[in-house]
Amino acid sequence: LIDTSHSVPSYHKYVGYVVFVACMMSWRKAMSTRPGWITARTIAKYDHFPYDNILFAENKVCRTVGIRKLARSKFDRASGRHVPRFDHYCGWIGNTVGEENYRYFLLFLAVHVGMCTYGTIILIRCFYDEIVESDLLNAGTGEEVKASKIVVFQFLMVRHFGLAG
């Protein structure tokens, strides 16, 4: 589709591979970086958030691990450890998101949003070229018929269904 498009330069075929590699690298980094684990030895390193005495009370002890519960920390069932600045367990990266891997998780999200935006723009430009070159909005059997945009969209999806799987 890119090879026949006039509004999408051919180098975008290779840019797509670079974007894909960036997505895989950000996923790998977010997946393999530990979220940080609170132990008796590392408790001072992570004790820097203020206690609000509503959700996080001072001098509260985690019943599961038996250490002092820090503000914004939580016991993670997936790892069996206490995680500082616990955010959530992400099934996409197969890892808990915590203080030490939060920036890599945000990088993962930003790179994938960029990939989706880039892919959408390129696909729209390719489809637009095909619509204009084939005169799909005025296509017919010799008789001039005004096609709706939904009909043209359905035609393009059926014609290029192999792109999606």
Side-chain angles (χ1 to χ4, degrees):
L1 201 57
I2 289 179
D3 293 331
T4 60
S5 177
H6 295 291
S7 66
V8 180
S10 62
Y11 67 83
H12 281 285
K13 186 185 332 181
Y14 305 107
V15 171
Y17 289 118
V18 171
V19 171
F20 175 74
V21 168
C23 287
M24 293 306 293
M25 288 173 57
S26 69
W27 170 75
R28 179 74 177 155
K29 187 67 175 171
M31 181 185 77
S32 62
T33 304
R34 292 179 178 173
W37 293 319
I38 301 173
T39 63
R41 290 179 32 203
T42 63
I43 200 162
K45 176 182 176 182
Y46 298 115
D47 192 11
H48 49 82
F49 288 108
Y51 292 91
D52 61 3
N53 291 321
I54 297 171
L55 290 175
F56 304 107
E58 287 189 67
N59 300 323
K60 190 173 182 182
V61 175
C62 175
R63 288 179 268 159
T64 312
V65 183
I67 60 171
R68 186 168 54 95
K69 188 170 181 183
L70 302 178
R72 298 193 61 195
S73 68
K74 184 178 175 190
F75 178 76
D76 175 37
R77 289 182 293 166
S79 66
R81 297 176 184 223
H82 216 78
V83 177
R85 202 169 121 199
F86 180 89
D87 193 284
H88 69 288
Y89 177 83
C90 179
W92 292 102
I93 62 172
N95 198 0
T96 303
V97 179
E99 184 167 332
E100 292 191 7
N101 67 349
Y102 196 75
R103 69 181 67 86
Y104 300 117
F105 176 71
L106 291 179
L107 174 69
F108 167 77
L109 292 178
V111 167
H112 281 76
V113 166
M115 177 198 65
C116 289
T117 304
Y118 170 76
T120 301
I121 290 169
I122 295 300
L123 191 62
I124 287 171
R125 290 179 75 178
C126 289
F127 281 169
Y128 177 77
D129 278 351
E130 188 166 347
I131 291 169
V132 170
E133 288 175 14
S134 301
D135 197 24
L136 292 178
L137 291 175
N138 295 317
T141 57
E143 179 182 333
E144 190 167 314
V145 177
K146 195 79 171 163
S148 69
K149 291 178 181 169
I150 191 71
V151 170
V152 171
F153 177 75
Q154 287 174 340
F155 169 76
L156 290 172
M157 290 297 110
V158 169
R159 182 163 180 205
H160 299 289
F161 189 72
L163 291 175

